Amino acid sequence: SRLAHISTMTKKTQAKSEDNILLLGFPGGGLVGIFTISYLIPQLKMTQIGEIEHPDILPALFVENGELYGPIRIYKKDNLYAILSDVPFDLDLGYSFAESIIEFAKKNHIKKIIIPSGMESTNKDPKTPKVYGLVTHQNLDSLLYQNDIPKFLSGTIIGTDAAMAVTFRKSNIPVALLYAECHPFFPDPEAALHAITVIAKILKFKIDTTDIKNRIEYLRIQNRKLMEETLNALQMQPETKQVPVPHIYR
């Protein structure tokens, strides 16, 4: 697999810090990752600093409010970075994309990576939703305990999530995977709402979730096509249709 090309808009993006954190969001179960990170970016007032161009992704530019932007973007504020992908990854692309993330993390002195995702659950209780945690390195166990995140104790991870987790385990950069219980076949912004709350607690930020609460049904309908594309990618089926533009929070 070939690594992605990472371009930044400024040369002053590699400030060394003991607390540099990277948030990573991409389409997966319930689209939890993309909903979560796309909502946090404007809430935390992060600024786009670059893009990632992967040789195995069909070149594409999205247009929103008259501005062009690539499908995989990098954001930053202070010691916090975020990478958001609007395109889903199949298994092979998951491996090479994770390698590119590790390369980026090393250059920017990232000390930990947090990845929100969806854990398919047909029996979830909407009144008592859960977000489970899984870490690639034991030194992040304390992050789960300190934030009252129950550990994902047993089960199976497959597809893109597994490909990326396998790659991250081999690196020296610890990763926390946060799995929100979600619907297995439809966009689930409600699950993302709980992931947002958990990450806000980890980062010690106060996040206003009013907007996503008010737009849950709209987001669920707006992103059905992207959910179909994501399921195809997760099942490693050939897909030739262009990925639609999801709603991105600004």
Side-chain angles (χ1 to χ4, degrees):
S1 297
R2 296 173 291 169
L3 290 181
H5 171 69
I6 301 173
S7 61
T8 56
M9 298 173 179
T10 173
K11 295 181 180 179
K12 297 180 180 180
T13 60
Q14 299 181 6
K16 189 171 183 178
S17 169
E18 292 300 316
D19 300 315
N20 282 359
I21 300 172
L22 171 63
L23 304 177
L24 176 59
F26 55 89
L31 301 182
V32 170
I34 189 171
F35 283 144
T36 300
I37 301 304
S38 70
Y39 192 80
L40 286 172
I41 285 168
Q43 287 287 322
L44 298 174
K45 296 180 170 58
M46 303 184 76
T47 302
Q48 184 177 347
I49 63 166
E51 296 182 348
I52 295 178
E53 298 175 0
H54 200 287
D56 295 327
I57 294 177
L58 183 68
L61 287 174
F62 295 156
V63 181
E64 185 165 306
N65 296 326
E67 294 186 9
L68 293 170
Y69 60 92
I72 308 175
R73 301 174 301 286
I74 308 167
Y75 299 84
K76 183 179 186 295
K77 183 182 180 183
D78 300 328
N79 68 320
L80 183 65
Y81 292 79
I83 294 179
L84 176 65
S85 173
D86 293 335
V87 292
F89 306 128
D90 60 22
L91 188 62
D92 291 337
L93 195 53
Y95 285 112
S96 60
F97 182 73
E99 291 170 359
S100 299
I101 297 300
I102 291 170
E103 178 188 3
F104 173 85
K106 288 179 178 178
K107 288 182 179 179
N108 291 277
H109 311 287
I110 301 295
K111 298 304 178 182
K112 57 178 168 280
I113 300 173
I114 299 174
I115 306 176
S117 190
M119 180 176 67
E120 299 177 1
S121 174
T122 55
N123 300 315
K124 69 169 184 170
D125 184 348
K127 296 182 180 179
T128 56
K130 291 183 175 62
V131 176
Y132 295 93
L134 191 63
V135 298
T136 59
H137 296 62
Q138 288 186 343
N139 62 347
L140 273 192
D141 277 339
S142 59
L143 181 144
L144 302 183
Y145 300 141
Q146 291 168 3
N147 294 282
D148 302 315
I149 303 170
K151 201 164 189 179
F152 183 14
L153 294 177
S154 63
T156 304
I157 301 174
I158 60 174
T160 306
D161 277 23
M164 298 186 74
V166 165
T167 307
F168 286 128
R169 281 183 68 199
K170 296 176 182 177
S171 78
N172 60 356
I173 302 173
V175 175
L177 297 150
L178 303 178
Y179 286 105
E181 290 183 317
C182 70
H183 195 286
F185 305 118
F186 297 104
D188 198 337
E190 285 181 321
L193 174 61
H194 306 304
I196 290 166
T197 302
V198 169
I199 292 179
K201 184 177 181 180
I202 292 172
L203 299 178
K204 297 179 172 58
F205 281 107
K206 185 176 181 180
I207 301 294
D208 182 359
T209 57
T210 304
D211 188 32
I212 193 169
K213 287 178 181 177
N214 292 337
R215 297 167 68 85
I216 281 177
E217 193 57 35
Y218 169 80
L219 292 170
R220 187 179 287 118
I221 295 171
Q222 175 81 0
N223 291 279
R224 282 181 179 173
K225 183 60 178 177
L226 178 58
M227 190 73 237
E228 289 179 20
E229 301 284 344
T230 300
L231 290 172
N232 284 331
L234 294 176
Q235 295 165 2
M236 293 174 287
Q237 296 176 354
E239 181 60 48
T240 58
K241 296 180 180 178
Q242 184 178 357
V243 177
V245 181
H247 176 81
I248 304 298
Y249 286 95
R250 296 297 184 189

